[in-house]
mmCIF file of all heavy atoms in Angstrom:
data_model
loop_
_atom_site.group_PDB
_atom_site.id
_atom_site.type_symbol
_atom_site.label_atom_id
_atom_site.label_comp_id
_atom_site.label_asym_id
_atom_site.label_seq_id
_atom_site.Cartn_x
_atom_site.Cartn_y
_atom_site.Cartn_z
ATOM 1 N N ASP A 234 132.534 79.532 70.034
ATOM 2 C CA ASP A 234 132.433 78.180 69.969
ATOM 3 C C ASP A 234 133.396 77.587 69.071
ATOM 4 O O ASP A 234 134.024 76.423 69.457
ATOM 5 C CB ASP A 234 130.980 77.907 69.330
ATOM 6 C CG ASP A 234 129.913 78.242 70.178
ATOM 7 O OD1 ASP A 234 130.046 78.265 71.403
ATOM 8 O OD2 ASP A 234 128.758 78.442 69.659
ATOM 9 N N ALA A 235 133.862 78.306 68.006
ATOM 10 C CA ALA A 235 135.001 77.735 67.066
ATOM 11 C C ALA A 235 136.323 77.606 67.908
ATOM 12 O O ALA A 235 137.005 76.609 67.884
ATOM 13 C CB ALA A 235 135.114 78.624 65.929
ATOM 14 N N ALA A 236 136.560 78.629 68.677
ATOM 15 C CA ALA A 236 137.880 78.666 69.514
ATOM 16 C C ALA A 236 137.774 77.635 70.586
ATOM 17 O O ALA A 236 138.758 76.864 70.842
ATOM 18 C CB ALA A 236 138.022 80.042 70.178
ATOM 19 N N GLY A 237 136.523 77.386 71.132
ATOM 20 C CA GLY A 237 136.392 76.315 72.257
ATOM 21 C C GLY A 237 136.578 74.955 71.596
ATOM 22 O O GLY A 237 137.270 74.109 72.211
ATOM 23 N N ALA A 238 136.048 74.739 70.447
ATOM 24 C CA ALA A 238 136.098 73.370 69.726
ATOM 25 C C ALA A 238 137.541 73.133 69.428
ATOM 26 O O ALA A 238 138.020 72.052 69.498
ATOM 27 C CB ALA A 238 135.262 73.425 68.546
ATOM 28 N N LYS A 239 138.260 74.206 68.933
ATOM 29 C CA LYS A 239 139.742 74.106 68.525
ATOM 30 C C LYS A 239 140.522 73.637 69.723
ATOM 31 O O LYS A 239 141.486 72.822 69.624
ATOM 32 C CB LYS A 239 140.188 75.366 67.938
ATOM 33 C CG LYS A 239 141.639 75.276 67.320
ATOM 34 C CD LYS A 239 142.106 76.562 66.644
ATOM 35 C CE LYS A 239 143.354 76.560 66.152
ATOM 36 N NZ LYS A 239 143.839 77.672 65.460
ATOM 37 N N SER A 240 140.267 74.369 70.841
ATOM 38 C CA SER A 240 140.934 74.101 72.073
ATOM 39 C C SER A 240 140.783 72.646 72.563
ATOM 40 O O SER A 240 141.679 71.897 72.860
ATOM 41 C CB SER A 240 140.633 75.071 73.165
ATOM 42 O OG SER A 240 141.208 74.780 74.418
ATOM 43 N N ILE A 241 139.455 72.114 72.499
ATOM 44 C CA ILE A 241 139.219 70.811 72.904
ATOM 45 C C ILE A 241 139.908 69.902 71.954
ATOM 46 O O ILE A 241 140.531 68.740 72.454
ATOM 47 C CB ILE A 241 137.703 70.618 72.895
ATOM 48 C CG1 ILE A 241 137.037 71.416 74.027
ATOM 49 C CG2 ILE A 241 137.333 69.147 73.144
ATOM 50 C CD1 ILE A 241 135.482 71.428 73.978
ATOM 51 N N LEU A 242 139.823 70.226 70.611
ATOM 52 C CA LEU A 242 140.438 69.241 69.605
ATOM 53 C C LEU A 242 141.978 69.164 69.876
ATOM 54 O O LEU A 242 142.527 68.018 69.816
ATOM 55 C CB LEU A 242 140.182 69.682 68.294
ATOM 56 C CG LEU A 242 140.674 68.876 67.095
ATOM 57 C CD1 LEU A 242 140.098 67.465 67.245
ATOM 58 C CD2 LEU A 242 140.305 69.484 65.766
ATOM 59 N N SER A 243 142.663 70.290 70.119
ATOM 60 C CA SER A 243 143.999 70.284 70.485
ATOM 61 C C SER A 243 144.381 69.553 71.688
ATOM 62 O O SER A 243 145.347 68.774 71.629
ATOM 63 C CB SER A 243 144.435 71.758 70.582
ATOM 64 O OG SER A 243 144.201 72.502 69.389
ATOM 65 N N GLU A 244 143.552 69.645 72.642
ATOM 66 C CA GLU A 244 143.761 68.904 73.967
ATOM 67 C C GLU A 244 143.685 67.405 73.674
ATOM 68 O O GLU A 244 144.423 66.655 74.128
ATOM 69 C CB GLU A 244 142.797 69.337 74.927
ATOM 70 C CG GLU A 244 143.057 68.845 76.336
ATOM 71 C CD GLU A 244 142.050 69.182 77.410
ATOM 72 O OE1 GLU A 244 141.264 70.110 77.171
ATOM 73 O OE2 GLU A 244 141.963 68.615 78.446
ATOM 74 N N LEU A 245 142.685 66.957 72.838
ATOM 75 C CA LEU A 245 142.523 65.601 72.559
ATOM 76 C C LEU A 245 143.649 65.012 71.723
ATOM 77 O O LEU A 245 144.143 63.948 72.045
ATOM 78 C CB LEU A 245 141.111 65.372 71.859
ATOM 79 C CG LEU A 245 139.841 65.598 72.628
ATOM 80 C CD1 LEU A 245 138.662 65.468 71.787
ATOM 81 C CD2 LEU A 245 139.773 64.530 73.863
ATOM 82 N N LEU A 246 144.087 65.757 70.727
ATOM 83 C CA LEU A 246 145.136 65.397 69.913
ATOM 84 C C LEU A 246 146.463 65.331 70.776
ATOM 85 O O LEU A 246 147.254 64.524 70.513
ATOM 86 C CB LEU A 246 145.305 66.421 68.737
ATOM 87 C CG LEU A 246 144.243 66.335 67.647
ATOM 88 C CD1 LEU A 246 144.382 67.332 66.552
ATOM 89 C CD2 LEU A 246 144.070 64.889 67.056
#
Side-chain angles (χ1 to χ4, degrees):
D234 294 337
K239 184 177 180 181
S240 176
I241 294 174
L242 181 60
S243 299
E244 184 179 350
L245 289 174
L246 290 175

